[in-house]
């Protein structure tokens, strides 16, 4: 406890109050002693203080013990009540003595009523001591208690008889001596001897309850008896008068007895610590000093006899009788002690065998080390645990079997433990490595206790537990497939790199890596092959980074690498170095993978982000992730460095996606139509429905802009449903207004296979709006490898049975285009915009486009060129055999009003056609919208 805690604690307050009480008690007793020594200034005052002063002190003691007896209750109440009665007898005796000397002014007669009260002082005190004593639990204990009392009393009687009582008894037997004075002369010392015997005998057998109060009470009685002994001596009895210094002993004894219960009660009782040794109640003999009582009694008897022999006197019969009984009691007591020692020896041997069996049979190793660290005892379990015989370890230094790396920590913990108070920290636990007999190091957990200034160690082998904990920790921080660090450990490593001594190093970089084409590997040759690919990729990544860097798998086909800075301040050189590392990783991960009989290729898109001052691990990893997605969006299989603009783009896309979620609900979408023109005549053959979003800020977004940032499949599906229903409704309304024209709606293959709206209710939609099924054409958009061609074929066949025409959008841009052309029921081929844009400038694209149009012509399919923006493209496409075109060369997307005006006109001028003929709007091609890269919207 620190000084402040000790000062403020209740125990400290109680101790301070008790100290003040003891000082006050000492001052009062010292004042009385000084007054008695100087005679109190006058004979009258001396007599008054010697009689009524002692009576007052004894009365205070009686009153104090009586109050305490009423307050304490329990088994101690009778003892303190008897002490109160004993003090009351002393007070009455002194009061009677004062009545004669002070009030009547006459000498005290002998015998008198005062003698009666004084003789009644000892019996209650003796019985009270018996009540306070610890009661023996066996017959031998009671016998020994009686023998101890007689040994002490008999010895004192022998000595006292030899010194004074024999002379007193001889005088009392004279013919001219009365019986009463003689009896009083013997009664006082005999009662004192009995009281002293009980005080000495019971002092070592007192009860543990309120030990401090009992000790103080015994000291008070001892002081009173000592004063009585001096008073009854022949040298003082004849010259004593009230007010002498001897009265100070009685006065101090009475006040000490009055203080005993209350002053000792203020001190807090010390707590009993668990495991502290306690004296067994079954012991007939207790305490080492109590065992010396017979020998001290024999010595006293011997002194009594020697006094008579040396003085040349005849040995008195009383002395011989008393000495013989003391010797006999000593012999009997020694016999009891011998039997008790034999019993204790047998019990000790049994317990020793019991504990030896426990120690030797325990699976834990028990070792006892001396204060200098030398092993004094090692249990036999060391052979099974450490693989070393216990005899080989005894005598060795404890430090010699502890791992050098753990020795400092072990010594520090042991020193701290030994410096702590035993009652606050009885044991401690230390875990370290011990050398086994084979030379290996075992993880050992030891419970350390204090033992005779040294250490008691209870050790057990926890190597398997430590290995399991290490394995669990490893599993929690590593990817189970590749055994690379996982996201949690990688984040911790990044945090450590940014927060340690390299915190200000701008060369620290994080690489995010994504395997392009990994999903196709899972879909084509199975997930087991995909797992093997990830294992090989992780191994390549681990082998490619430096020793101080960290390679990790974040999940799926995403990996990461932490490149720790080397302190280079040249930012350009550092960026070049990290970029070179990233390029090497990209090339390494893009090499073919041998998986069983297959050779698989994937690419790697890598994003790189450098540490900045005060950047957090989360922000640094987010920057690398943004750079990786920019690399994927830029064509994949490339390395992209993070730039702040990427974060701004993400924020813009996020805001745009958020506004897009509420655009449909708020009616911000508009439907435009772009005419599809017959290249030979300029007539409008169909119109392609296109969605436009006019945001609350007045910005008109094309699908190429808002669909790319929506990132919400539910919203995209909802937009598709709105587009289809709105296009059918407006087409039906135009037909009723006298402007019949086929409308085409672009839908993805995945949307076509959905069973819910809108595709599951296309027929109901046409019926509800009264639009003939032949007036609707659906363009099958991008070819998703996840889509089953069998299911798509069945779906398109069902739609054609309804009269809906089918167009293949983006023809010539994907690997699956030929397969789709071979298997799907297609009516129209729509050339990809990228082919049309370069058909005039590139001879290679010219030949490819010409070949595709020839295939369409041979299959009897009509063709539509998307993105026809200039007259030269019209002439080239028409020369190749393309039948229809869509683009700015004819018209951009039109709102409903402008569309109806164009349908009234019925045709658009076509380059190379000398004189256009008026033709009604119509044609045999049901067409769909263009690609996501829509033509610009003309100003309205």
């Amino acid at each position: 406890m620190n000084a402040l805690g000790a000062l403020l604690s209740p125990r400290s307050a109680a101790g301070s109050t008790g100290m003040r009480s003891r000082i006050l008690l000492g001052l009062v007793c010292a004042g009385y002693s000084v007054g008695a020594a100087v005679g109190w200034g006058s004979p009258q005052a001396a007599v008054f203080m010697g009689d009524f002063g002692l009576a007052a002190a004894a009365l205070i003691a009686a009153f104090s013990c009586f109050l305490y007896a009423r307050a304490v209750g329990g088994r101690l109440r009778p003892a303190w009540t008897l002490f109160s009665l004993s003090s009351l007898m002393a007070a009455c005796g002194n009061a009677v003595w004062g009545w004669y000397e002070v009030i009547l002014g006459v000498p005290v007669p002998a015998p008198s009523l005062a003698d009666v009260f004084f003789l009644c002082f000892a019996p209650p005190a003796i019985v009270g001591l018996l009540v306070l004593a610890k009661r023996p639990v066996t017959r031998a204990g009671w016998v020994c208690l009686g023998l101890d009392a007689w040994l002490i009393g008999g010895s004192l009687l022998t000595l006292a008889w030899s010194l004074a009582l024999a002379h007193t008894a001889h005088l009392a037997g004279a013919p001219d001596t009365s019986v009463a004075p003689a009896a009083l002369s013997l009664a006082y010392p005999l009662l004192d001897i009995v009281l002293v015997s009980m005080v000495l005998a019971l002092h070592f057998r007192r009860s543990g309850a309120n030990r401090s109060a009992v000790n103080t009470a015994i000291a008070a009685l001892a002081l009173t008896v000592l004063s009585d002994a001096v008073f009854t001596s022949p040298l003082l009895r004849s010259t004593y008068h009230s007010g002498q210094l001897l009265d100070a002993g009685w006065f101090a004894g009475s006040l000490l007895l009055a203080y005993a219960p209350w002053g000792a009660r203020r001190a807090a009782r010390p707590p009993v610590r668990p495991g502290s040794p306690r004296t067994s109640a079954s012991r007939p003999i207790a305490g080492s000093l109590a065992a010396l009582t017979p020998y001290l009694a024999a010595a006293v008897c011997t002194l009594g006899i020697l006094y008579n022999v040396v003085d040349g006197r005849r040995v008195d019969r009383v002395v011989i009788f008393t000495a013989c009984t003391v010797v006999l009691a000593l012999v009997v007591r020694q016999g009891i002690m011998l039997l008790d020692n034999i019993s204790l020896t047998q019990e000790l041997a049994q317990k020793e065998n019991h504990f030896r069996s426990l120690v030797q049979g325990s699976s834990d190793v028990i070792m006892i080390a001396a204060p200098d660290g030398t092993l004094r005892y090692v249990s036999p379990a060391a052979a099974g645990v450490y693989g070393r015989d216990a005899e080989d370890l005894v005598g060795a230094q404890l430090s010699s079997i502890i791992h050098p790396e753990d020795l400092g920590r072990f010594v520090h913990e042991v020193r701290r433990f030994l410096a702590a108070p035993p009652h606050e920290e009885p044991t401690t636990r230390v875990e370290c490595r011990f050398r086994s007999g084979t030379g290996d190091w075992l993880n050992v957990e030891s419970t350390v206790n204090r033992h005779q200034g040294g250490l008691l160690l209870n050790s057990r082998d926890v190597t398997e537990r430590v290995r399991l904990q290490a394995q669990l920790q490893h599993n929690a921080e590593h990817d189970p497939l590749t055994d690379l660090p996982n996201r949690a450990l990688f984040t911790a490593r990044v945090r450590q790199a940014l927060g340690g001594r390299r915190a200000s190093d701008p060369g620290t970089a994080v690489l995010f890596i994504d395997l392009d084409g990994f999903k196709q590997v899972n879909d084509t040759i199975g997930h087991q092959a995909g797992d093997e690919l990830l294992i090989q990729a992780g191994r390549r990544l681990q082998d490619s980074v430096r020793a101080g860097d960290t390679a990790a798998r974040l999940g799926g086909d995403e990996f990461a690498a932490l490149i720790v800075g080397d302190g280079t301040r040249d930012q350009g050189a550092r960026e070049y170095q990290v970029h070179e590392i990233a390029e090497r990783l990209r090339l390494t991960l893009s090499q073919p993978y041998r998986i069983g009989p297959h050779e698989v290729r994937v690419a790697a898109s890598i994003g790189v982000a450098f540490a900045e001052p005060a950047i957090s691990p989360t922000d640094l990893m987010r920057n690398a992730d943004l750079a990786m997605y920019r690399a994927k969006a830029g064509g994949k299989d490339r390395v992209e460095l993070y730039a702040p603009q990427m974060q701004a783009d993400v924020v813009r896309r996020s805001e745009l996606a958020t506004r897009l979620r509420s655009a449909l609900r708020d009616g911000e979408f508009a439907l435009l139509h772009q005419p599809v023109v017959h290249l030979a005549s300029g007539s409008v053959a169909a119109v392609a429905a296109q969605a436009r979003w006019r945001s609350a800020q007045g910005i008109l977004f094309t699908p190429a802009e808002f669909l790319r940032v929506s990132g919400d499949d539910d919203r995209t599906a909802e937009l598709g449903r709105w587009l289809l229903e709105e296009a059918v409704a407006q087409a039906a309304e135009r037909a009723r207004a006298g402007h019949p024209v086929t409308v085409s709606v672009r839908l993805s293959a995945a949307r076509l296979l959905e069973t819910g709206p809108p595709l599951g209710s296309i027929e109901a939609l046409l019926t509800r709006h009264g639009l003939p099924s032949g007036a609707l054409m659906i363009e099958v958009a991008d070819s998703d490898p996840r889509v089953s061609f069998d299911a798509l074929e069945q779906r398109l066949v069902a739609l054609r049975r309804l009269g809906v025409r089918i167009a293949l959008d983006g023809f010539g841009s994907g690997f699956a285009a030929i397969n789709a052309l071979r298997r799907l029921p297609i009516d129209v081929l729509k050339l990809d915009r990228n082919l049309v844009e370069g058909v005039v400038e590139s001879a290679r694209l010219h030949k490819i486009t010409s070949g595709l149009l020839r295939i369409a012509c041979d299959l009897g399919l009509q063709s539509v060129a998307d993105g026809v923006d200039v007259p030269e493209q019209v002439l080239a496409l028409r020369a190749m055999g393309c039948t229809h075109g869509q683009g700015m060369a004819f018209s951009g997307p039109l709102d409903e009003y402008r569309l109806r005006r164009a349908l009234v006109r019925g045709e658009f001028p076509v380059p190379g056609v000398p004189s256009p003929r008026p033709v009604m709007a119509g044609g045999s091609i049901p067409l769909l919208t263009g690609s996501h890269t829509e033509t610009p919207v003309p100003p309205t």
Side-chain angles (χ1 to χ4, degrees):
M1 185 183 298
N2 56 34
L4 181 61
L7 182 62
L8 298 179
S9 66
R11 181 182 300 182
S12 299
S16 177
T17 304
M19 181 60 68
R20 289 195 297 268
S21 301
R22 287 190 289 271
I23 293 174
L24 180 61
L25 176 65
L27 292 176
V28 172
C29 293
Y32 189 93
S33 300
V34 172
V38 299
W40 295 103
S42 66
Q44 293 79 10
V47 173
F48 181 84
M49 293 300 297
D51 293 335
F52 291 108
L54 295 182
L59 189 61
I60 292 174
F63 186 69
S64 174
C65 293
F66 179 74
L67 291 180
Y68 184 71
R70 290 177 58 86
V72 71
R75 192 176 68 88
L76 299 180
R77 172 177 289 182
W80 291 102
T81 303
L82 291 171
F83 289 155
S84 174
L85 179 60
S86 177
S87 298
L88 182 62
M89 293 297 102
C92 292
N94 284 291
V96 172
W97 197 288
W99 174 264
Y100 282 106
E101 288 189 337
V102 177
I103 304 301
L104 300 181
V106 296
V108 180
S112 67
L113 184 61
D115 294 319
V116 176
F117 286 122
F118 285 144
L119 291 176
C120 292
F121 167 80
I126 294 172
V127 177
L129 289 174
L130 287 174
V131 173
L132 287 178
K134 184 186 297 183
R135 298 173 182 176
V137 295
T138 62
R139 292 183 178 179
W142 284 106
V143 173
C144 287
L145 178 61
L147 292 176
D148 288 342
W150 172 244
L151 285 172
I152 297 173
S155 301
L156 293 177
L157 179 61
T158 302
L159 185 61
W161 189 271
S162 300
L163 294 176
L165 294 183
H167 178 69
T168 303
H170 177 70
L171 294 177
D176 56 344
T177 304
S178 63
V179 178
L184 286 175
S185 300
L186 294 176
Y188 278 114
L190 291 178
L191 286 176
D192 288 339
I193 289 174
V194 174
L195 187 56
V196 170
S197 302
M198 296 307 301
V199 168
L200 293 178
L202 298 178
H203 175 67
F204 305 105
R205 296 175 176 271
R206 60 191 181 276
S207 174
N210 204 354
R211 184 180 296 269
S212 179
V214 175
N215 287 339
T216 307
I218 291 176
L221 294 176
L223 183 58
T224 303
V225 170
L226 180 61
S227 300
D228 287 345
V230 175
F231 170 75
T232 56
S233 65
L235 298 178
L236 187 64
R237 178 64 182 270
S238 59
T239 61
Y240 171 79
H241 60 82
S242 298
Q244 289 185 345
L245 185 60
L246 180 61
D247 294 343
W250 286 312
F251 183 83
S254 297
L255 289 187
L256 191 60
L257 184 60
Y259 167 80
W262 306 103
R265 195 182 184 189
R266 293 189 180 96
R269 183 177 179 180
V272 179
R273 298 190 302 271
S276 60
R278 296 185 179 183
T279 305
S280 174
S282 61
R283 293 280 189 264
I285 307 296
S288 58
L289 189 56
L292 297 176
T293 303
Y295 308 103
L296 294 176
V300 170
C301 285
T302 303
L303 290 176
I305 298 174
L306 286 177
Y307 175 80
N308 287 275
V309 173
V310 171
D311 199 31
R313 300 177 182 178
R314 183 176 59 86
V315 180
D316 194 274
R317 288 178 294 178
V318 175
V319 174
I320 295 176
F321 177 79
T322 304
C324 290
T325 56
V326 169
V327 172
L328 182 61
L330 179 61
V331 172
V332 173
R333 191 179 188 282
Q334 288 298 102
I336 294 175
M337 288 185 62
L338 179 61
L339 294 176
D340 186 68
N341 287 337
I342 294 174
S343 175
L344 288 177
T345 302
Q346 294 176 350
E347 183 180 354
L348 181 61
Q350 292 178 356
K351 289 186 176 181
E352 184 179 355
N353 292 332
H354 174 71
F355 285 109
R356 182 182 291 111
S357 301
L358 290 177
V359 171
Q360 293 180 352
S362 173
S363 60
D364 294 349
V365 180
I366 299 175
M367 300 183 294
I368 299 178
D372 61 352
T374 304
L375 293 176
R376 297 304 185 193
Y377 173 79
V378 179
S379 66
V385 176
Y386 300 153
R388 304 175 65 176
D389 292 336
E391 293 78 6
D392 297 339
L393 292 175
V394 174
Q397 288 291 324
L398 181 61
S399 59
S400 64
I401 63 174
I402 300 177
H403 196 283
E405 296 179 0
D406 301 338
L407 183 58
R409 178 168 52 85
F410 179 86
V411 172
H412 174 75
E413 175 62 21
V414 169
R415 287 179 177 175
R416 184 203 61 79
F417 167 67
L418 293 177
H423 65 277
E424 293 182 2
E425 190 173 5
T427 63
T428 187
R429 288 181 180 271
V430 182
E431 188 170 323
C432 57
R433 287 169 287 181
F434 280 7
R435 187 190 300 276
S436 68
T438 61
D440 298 330
W441 294 101
L442 303 176
N443 293 92
V444 176
E445 182 185 62
S446 301
T447 302
V448 184
N449 295 269
R450 299 171 180 84
H451 178 74
Q452 298 180 355
L455 299 176
L456 174 64
L457 296 94
N458 189 354
S459 306
R460 63 196 62 85
D461 183 8
V462 293
T463 303
E464 290 301 322
R465 189 195 72 186
V466 172
R467 289 176 181 173
L468 178 59
Q469 290 176 345
Q471 184 63 40
L472 292 176
Q473 182 69 21
H474 180 85
N475 294 343
E477 296 179 342
H478 289 76
D479 174 58
L481 182 63
T482 62
D483 203 39
L484 292 176
N486 58 14
R487 183 181 292 273
L489 181 57
F490 183 76
T491 303
R493 296 275 178 87
V494 174
R495 182 178 294 106
Q496 182 180 1
L498 295 180
R501 58 185 179 87
R502 301 179 183 271
S504 59
D505 190 351
T508 300
V510 171
L511 281 62
F512 264 44
I513 306 165
D514 186 83
L515 300 182
D516 303 321
F518 172 75
K519 189 179 184 309
Q520 286 75 6
V521 175
N522 275 342
D523 294 339
T524 53
I525 60 177
H527 289 274
Q528 186 173 359
D531 292 343
E532 179 61 28
L533 188 149
L534 292 175
I535 294 174
Q536 295 184 24
R539 191 178 301 119
R540 292 184 186 182
L541 180 61
Q542 182 66 48
D543 295 340
S544 300
V545 299
R546 302 173 305 177
D549 299 334
T550 301
R553 182 191 176 206
L554 305 183
D557 59 345
E558 290 188 357
F559 294 84
L562 171 64
I563 309 300
V564 180
D566 54 4
T568 302
R569 292 297 176 181
D570 188 350
Q571 186 66 19
R574 182 57 180 164
E575 288 185 4
Y576 176 80
Q577 181 183 5
V578 174
H579 193 277
E580 186 180 29
I581 294 174
E583 283 290 347
R584 185 172 67 250
L585 288 177
R586 183 186 65 82
L587 294 176
T588 301
L589 295 174
S590 300
Q591 295 297 318
Y593 296 83
R594 173 61 61 180
I595 302 177
H598 305 282
E599 185 178 88
V600 179
R601 289 180 178 269
V602 294
S605 296
I606 302 177
V608 182
F610 287 91
E612 300 173 358
I615 192 172
S616 67
T618 303
D619 292 341
L620 181 59
M621 295 172 64
R622 181 206 60 198
N623 294 346
D625 197 22
L626 291 176
M628 184 267 290
Y629 277 105
R630 177 59 64 90
K632 293 178 69 70
K636 302 180 180 181
D637 194 18
R638 55 182 294 178
V639 175
E640 190 77 31
L641 297 180
Y642 170 78
Q645 182 60 34
M646 297 180 184
Q647 179 62 24
D649 292 342
V650 170
V651 173
R652 175 180 174 275
R653 288 198 299 268
S654 177
E655 293 175 352
L656 191 60
T658 302
R659 296 202 305 268
L660 181 62
R661 293 186 182 97
S662 60
L664 277 173
R665 183 183 68 251
D666 298 339
E668 296 181 7
F669 277 93
L671 186 64
L672 302 181
H673 295 83
Q674 188 172 28
V676 178
V677 180
H678 194 277
L679 296 182
S681 62
S683 60
V684 179
V687 291
Q690 299 178 9
R692 292 293 186 271
W693 174 29
R694 188 180 301 276
S695 68
Q697 289 77 18
I699 303 174
L700 192 65
F701 295 104
T702 65
E705 295 174 300
F706 63 74
L707 290 181
R708 184 170 58 248
V709 302
S710 65
D712 191 337
D713 292 339
D714 294 336
R715 292 292 174 263
T716 305
E718 186 178 355
L719 178 61
R721 290 192 291 269
W722 175 86
L723 177 63
L724 179 61
E725 184 167 358
E726 192 71 16
V728 171
Q730 291 191 16
E733 187 177 349
R734 283 193 299 271
R736 287 192 293 269
H739 304 288
V741 64
T742 300
V743 63
S744 62
V745 181
R746 186 175 185 270
L747 296 174
S748 65
R751 300 297 178 207
L752 283 169
L753 293 180
E754 291 181 351
T755 57
L759 303 177
S761 60
I762 288 180
E763 182 177 8
L765 184 63
L766 296 175
T767 302
R768 184 167 67 250
H769 293 285
L771 182 68
S773 58
L776 174 65
M777 185 174 71
I778 293 178
E779 292 184 6
V780 181
D782 50 74
S783 179
D784 191 340
R786 296 174 296 180
V787 175
S788 170
F789 261 95
D790 295 334
L792 182 60
E793 181 181 5
Q794 296 176 6
R795 185 61 179 162
L796 294 179
V797 169
L799 290 175
R800 286 198 68 189
R801 289 187 184 138
L802 295 176
V804 178
R805 307 299 296 276
I806 307 298
L808 181 61
D809 185 33
F811 185 72
S813 62
F815 294 105
I818 300 300
N819 191 29
L821 187 61
R822 178 177 63 87
R823 298 185 57 183
L824 301 180
I826 303 300
D827 299 306
V828 178
L829 287 180
K830 192 169 186 178
L831 295 178
D832 186 75
R833 184 183 187 89
N834 294 326
L835 293 176
V836 176
E837 287 177 347
V839 72
V840 177
E841 295 82 3
S842 174
R844 185 181 184 87
L845 287 180
H846 188 280
K847 291 180 180 180
I848 293 175
T849 305
S850 178
L852 295 176
L853 290 173
R854 192 178 304 114
I855 292 175
C857 182
D858 293 342
L859 293 177
L861 303 177
Q862 296 185 4
S863 56
V864 177
D866 186 18
V868 182
D869 296 334
V870 295
E872 292 78 7
Q873 294 173 346
V874 176
L875 296 175
L877 291 169
R878 187 173 58 192
M880 296 177 192
C882 183
T883 59
H884 295 79
Q886 173 185 344
M888 293 302 295
F890 308 108
S891 173
L894 305 174
D895 57 19
E896 187 65 21
Y897 172 75
R898 293 176 181 270
L899 177 61
R900 291 197 181 191
R901 288 180 57 186
L903 293 178
V904 170
R905 187 172 64 247
E907 63 181 20
F908 289 91
V910 178
V913 178
S915 57
R917 298 162 294 175
V919 179
M920 292 297 297
S924 59
I925 302 178
L927 298 175
L928 215 159
T929 65
S931 66
H932 282 180
T933 53
E934 299 291 349
T935 54
V937 180
T940 57

